[in-house]
Amino acid sequence: MHNVTADQMFSLPHTRSQAVADELRAQIMSGALEAGTPLRQVELARRFGVSTTPVREAFAALLREGLVVGDTHRGVVVFRPSVDDLRENYEIRIALEPLATAKAAERITDSEVIELESLLGQMRVIADPIELFQLNRTFHARIYDVAARPRLASLIESLRDAGHAYGNLFTVRAKDRSQAEREHEAIVLALKARAPARAARAMADHLAHNADFVAGELSGENPEKRRATGSTARRQGVRKRSEGVSP
């Protein structure tokens, strides 16, 4: 774990608990704190030069985000996602996010397309994985906002919050971002063309690729092998479901 002085942490306009949570979150998402690493209150309080109360409050925030598991008093462990957890999360998201994307294609404006294109441009050049992760969240959330289905967007957001650790694995470990970039571009092009079925398929393919990559990372299998054997049938199923969406 990186050593962070109290002066470095609290020069920012944060409360102490926010500062501790921000630092731990950054280390978890960068991979500096690996899955399964125990985090102990007293040790972290000493390291950050604070009492145990801000550390306990930081643990509570990270527990809500799904980045750690355990108990705020006795200590927590960096969440280690399982393939089953991953599959369940993505199965639900693949049912909901393409639907929201199709709805967005029906009502998106030219200025909203430009906004998404700007986000794509930023993601192409960003190097920091934490900033990239946040930009990716903003990109997806903006699409679902455009759909103007607030309950649907809320359901998706809760699932994406629960999938923080999965997004971390993809963002930090993916060596080649070109496929994800092409998939994002395909989504925006479909939205720009106001083609709901095409937009839904593009989003479904994108999510299926992410799920296959992370499943491979979690299981130690070759992601390309998993993609060849697993995602084709799943994507065909999504295409069948999206046939009822007007093009």
Side-chain angles (χ1 to χ4, degrees):
M1 183 185 301
H2 302 305
N3 288 320
V4 179
T5 68
D7 287 343
Q8 287 174 316
M9 287 179 60
F10 305 126
S11 62
L12 298 175
H14 288 327
T15 66
R16 295 189 170 209
S17 62
Q18 286 175 323
V20 173
D22 287 348
E23 176 62 21
L24 292 176
R25 184 184 301 107
Q27 292 189 27
I28 291 170
M29 295 185 66
S30 69
L33 283 173
E34 296 183 352
T37 301
L39 304 178
R40 298 181 176 85
Q41 264 193 64
V42 174
E43 177 185 331
L44 289 172
R46 187 181 306 115
R47 184 182 298 274
F48 292 139
V50 299
S51 70
T52 56
T53 299
V55 177
R56 186 165 59 250
E57 292 172 350
F59 283 175
L62 297 176
L63 280 164
R64 287 193 297 271
E65 295 173 18
L67 293 176
V68 299
V69 293
D71 183 272
T72 57
H73 294 277
R74 288 178 291 184
V76 298
V77 175
V78 178
F79 177 58
R80 183 188 298 278
S82 70
V83 173
D84 286 343
D85 291 332
L86 165 82
R87 287 300 182 197
E88 182 178 23
N89 182 279
Y90 271 93
E91 282 166 0
I92 303 171
R93 286 172 56 189
I94 287 174
L96 299 181
E97 293 187 46
L99 172 61
T101 307
K103 293 298 181 184
E106 295 172 358
R107 57 181 297 115
I108 195 165
T109 65
D110 289 343
S111 63
E112 288 165 340
V113 170
I114 291 171
E115 182 182 352
L116 291 175
E117 289 174 336
S118 174
L119 287 169
L120 287 185
Q122 294 175 60
M123 284 191 282
R124 289 189 195 100
V125 300
I126 201 74
D128 182 80
I130 306 303
E131 292 182 31
L132 176 61
F133 181 79
Q134 294 302 331
L135 280 172
N136 182 67
R137 285 288 299 244
T138 301
F139 173 78
H140 282 267
R142 192 69 195 93
I143 292 172
Y144 309 140
D145 286 343
V146 171
R149 293 292 188 274
R151 281 182 287 185
L152 178 58
S154 178
L155 285 170
I156 292 170
E157 186 67 13
S158 67
L159 288 163
R160 294 185 71 87
D161 283 342
H164 259 308
Y166 312 130
N168 165 39
L169 275 174
F170 183 85
T171 304
V172 173
R173 297 188 185 180
K175 304 302 182 186
D176 181 4
R177 287 159 34 182
S178 61
Q179 181 167 347
E181 289 173 358
R182 289 193 298 271
E183 290 164 355
H184 281 157
E185 289 166 2
I187 292 166
V188 173
L189 285 172
L191 290 169
K192 189 174 184 177
R194 278 72 175 181
R198 179 176 148 201
R201 287 193 296 269
M203 181 61 75
D205 284 350
H206 175 55
L207 294 174
H209 166 228
N210 289 358
D212 288 337
F213 178 90
V214 180
E217 289 291 321
L218 292 175
S219 65
E221 294 182 22
N222 184 322
E224 294 298 329
K225 179 180 178 181
R226 293 189 66 87
R227 191 174 303 123
T229 58
S231 67
T232 300
R234 183 168 56 257
R235 291 175 187 178
Q236 288 174 344
V238 171
R239 288 192 175 95
K240 288 179 180 178
R241 290 197 299 275
S242 64
E243 283 175 356
V245 181
S246 60

